[in-house]
Amino acid sequence: MATEDKNRATAAAILPLVGGAANVESIAHCMTRLRLGLHDRSLVDDEALKAVPAVMGVVEDDTYQIVLGPGTVARVTPEFEQLVEEGRASSETPAPVHTAEELADKGAALKARQKAKNSTPFKLFLRRIANIFVPLIPALIGCGIIAGLNGLLVNLGWLTSVTPALASMASGFMALIAVFVGYNTAKEFGGTPILGGAVAAIIVFPGVANIDAFGQTLAPGQGGVLGALGAAVLAVYVEKWCRRWVPEALDVLVTPTLTVLISGLVTIFGLMYVAGEVSSAIGTFADWLLSTGGAGAGFLLGGFFLPLVMLGLHQALIPIHTTLIEQQGFTVLLPILAMAGAGQVGAAAAVYLRLPRNESIRRTIRSAMPAGLLGVGEPLIYGVSLPLGRPFITACVGGAFGGGFVGLFNQLGDSVGSTAIGPSGWALFPLLDGNHGLGSTIAIYAGGLLVGYVAGFVATYFFGFSKSLLAEFNVSQEPAPSTVAATGPAAASGDSQAKEPAGV
């Protein structure tokens, strides 16, 4: 089957299982997931969706998220959008609507639970921050890989006439990333995107080197993405204030002018300096943390990353990663956090051996393991370790040991970093960079993955199953982990659905 036909077939299989075209309110996608806004959640057939060959899992958050994996989701989404448009055009009848009583019974409890857990002001703020930076990830990845290729060619002394061009390709986006952050920030906070980009562009304009603020001469790029974010948010509030008070006849002239003028002055004579100090402090703290307590810090970061993901708090790390990439050329945190996925892989291998009679779970592990090795952890997390309960904890232990291994080498002076955010597992190898050459950087990262695999396997094999859990699951029947989670340890919290999987 041609690739286009395969992607369309996947989209066609998904559409009726989410209630049809009329039930789809919005469509978007991230690195691995198709994110759908749905009118009526009760029309979704979760189990049938999970049975679609291309679907790795489903996650319910503020949107209904179907995990398709990197690459696949970018190809299936346009086909899905086209099918939805065709369905809407050919149907004059609205989506089936249940009675108010049915909707109340099926949806009220779910909505209340999700609202209470996912709509706190802090988490909504973090989600907005993620919405600003996630669209930038493809460019970060592409430019990061080109930067790595260019560095390799420079070190080998090959293609000397080409390497300057590659350096320009790799650095061009990072030189202007503040503009894109400003644009996305204004869009996310309800302002005019181009005005946010215009104000953020001040930060990277070479002419700011002629300006003194707080007794210091400003430097182009000072404040980086944090300054751009703050400048664009300020621009949004100034613009909204102008919209309320400026007469309509003058709005088109006065509002953009005042927005750029007021926000620009505050950015130049305030935000650039303050954000620059904060950015420097982040870089200094990251260096200090890993140089003085590298093994311990790595152990904690690798071990607690997946719980942070489940709580949605990992989104706070995105601007920190981006700031470190701006300052140092790579983020030293991502390779450590990637060890959490290694722990999941090791834990899944142990589950496979500990449940020789449960062909259903073993089949899930076989199909999900390649994706897990490449850093796409959702299928293993939501299909295996999290529903079983204890294996999720022992997988985190594996991630802790892997993170401690990488952190130890940082403490010894061998920094291991990534030139972009997004990929993990084996997919991170092309993006690796460090301070002691590519060979040692790759070796340390590979060693961390190996430690994570082994530690996750050992912890899960010997401590991941109680006698009752082993007796319940090591049977010849084929129970799906997600259907038995209500009686397993993962149900102790009363919610077997986690908020966010790892790799977005």
Side-chain angles (χ1 to χ4, degrees):
M1 182 184 292
T3 302
E4 293 81 1
D5 294 339
K6 180 180 179 181
N7 295 329
R8 189 169 183 85
T10 298
I14 291 173
L15 183 56
L17 301 179
V18 295
N23 194 40
V24 178
E25 181 179 11
S26 63
I27 305 171
H29 75 86
C30 61
M31 291 291 294
T32 59
R33 288 172 248 158
L34 174 65
R35 297 170 178 257
L36 303 178
L38 302 175
H39 295 291
D40 186 355
R41 170 65 181 82
S42 66
L43 298 179
V44 178
D45 190 337
D46 295 296
E47 296 305 316
L49 269 173
K50 294 175 184 177
V52 175
V55 174
M56 298 179 177
V58 297
V59 180
E60 188 166 336
D61 201 339
D62 55 327
T63 57
Y64 189 78
Q65 302 168 14
I66 302 172
V67 183
L68 297 173
T72 301
V73 68
R75 292 170 172 81
V76 171
T77 299
E79 300 290 347
F80 187 83
E81 290 174 334
Q82 184 176 349
L83 289 175
V84 169
E85 290 301 319
E86 293 173 357
R88 289 171 178 170
S90 63
S91 176
E92 298 181 357
T93 58
V97 178
H98 289 236
T99 64
E101 291 77 11
E102 283 184 286
L103 294 178
D105 291 339
K106 295 182 178 180
L110 175 63
K111 291 180 180 179
R113 185 172 70 249
Q114 292 296 332
K115 184 176 180 180
K117 293 185 177 181
N118 293 334
S119 298
T120 63
F122 182 62
K123 289 187 179 179
L124 289 175
F125 173 75
L126 291 181
R127 189 171 292 125
R128 282 189 161 186
I129 297 299
N131 291 341
I132 292 167
F133 287 92
V134 166
L136 306 179
I137 290 178
L140 286 169
I141 293 173
C143 294
I145 291 177
I146 293 173
L149 174 62
N150 184 64
L152 179 63
L153 293 176
V154 169
N155 291 335
L156 295 174
W158 294 353
L159 301 176
T160 55
S161 61
V162 176
T163 51
L166 292 177
S168 299
M169 297 176 197
S171 303
F173 173 74
M174 289 305 302
L176 297 174
I177 190 172
V179 179
F180 296 101
V181 170
Y183 184 95
N184 287 348
T185 300
K187 181 179 179 180
E188 179 64 26
F189 282 84
T192 302
I194 198 64
L195 290 179
V199 174
I202 297 170
I203 293 174
V204 295
F205 178 60
V208 298
N210 300 320
I211 302 173
D212 291 334
F214 295 95
Q216 298 181 7
T217 300
L218 296 178
Q222 185 172 339
V225 295
L226 298 183
L229 194 154
V233 170
L234 175 62
V236 169
Y237 282 101
V238 172
E239 180 187 359
K240 289 182 177 179
W241 182 87
C242 291
R243 301 289 184 198
R244 286 197 302 267
W245 296 102
V246 174
E248 291 185 6
L250 301 175
D251 181 73
V252 70
L253 297 175
V254 175
T255 297
T257 304
L258 288 179
T259 298
V260 175
L261 179 63
I262 296 173
S263 304
L265 288 173
V266 174
T267 298
I268 291 171
F269 294 104
L271 282 177
M272 286 186 67
Y273 174 81
V274 174
E277 294 298 307
V278 173
S279 298
S280 298
I282 289 174
T284 301
F285 177 75
D287 290 340
W288 172 85
L289 180 66
L290 294 179
S291 63
T292 58
F299 189 90
L300 293 176
L301 289 171
F304 284 101
F305 181 62
L306 283 182
L308 286 178
V309 170
M310 298 307 173
L311 295 173
L313 300 178
H314 67 297
Q315 294 166 341
L317 296 171
I318 297 177
I320 296 176
H321 287 311
T322 310
T323 298
L324 292 174
I325 292 172
E326 265 194 318
Q327 290 181 343
Q328 304 174 0
F330 52 83
T331 168
V332 293
L333 298 179
L334 186 58
I336 292 176
L337 300 177
M339 296 301 116
Q344 287 291 329
V345 169
V351 171
Y352 188 88
L353 294 182
R354 291 287 276 165
L355 301 179
R357 299 178 181 175
N358 195 319
E359 184 56 31
S360 175
I361 292 180
R362 287 165 64 91
R363 184 168 56 248
T364 298
I365 293 173
R366 286 196 300 269
S367 63
M369 188 64 79
L373 291 171
L374 291 174
V376 182
E378 289 98 331
L380 291 178
I381 294 172
Y382 295 109
V384 181
S385 66
L386 189 60
L388 291 174
R390 287 175 69 167
F392 178 78
I393 298 174
T394 53
C396 291
V397 173
F401 277 95
F405 179 88
V406 178
L408 175 62
F409 279 90
N410 275 274
Q411 187 174 356
L412 296 175
D414 287 306
S415 295
V416 177
S418 170
T419 57
I421 57 177
S424 183
W426 293 4
L428 197 62
F429 277 109
L431 297 168
L432 291 177
D433 197 1
N435 61 347
H436 282 166
L438 188 59
S440 62
T441 300
I442 290 177
I444 294 170
Y445 180 72
L449 289 178
L450 182 60
V451 170
Y453 296 154
V454 173
F457 178 89
V458 171
T460 304
Y461 192 89
F462 291 103
F463 305 105
F465 288 89
S466 63
K467 291 182 178 180
S468 59
L469 189 65
L470 193 60
E472 179 181 357
F473 282 93
N474 191 26
V475 290
S476 58
Q477 291 90 345
E478 296 191 357
S482 58
T483 64
V484 295
T487 58
S493 64
D495 181 12
S496 62
Q497 279 285 350
K499 300 175 183 62
E500 281 283 339
V504 170

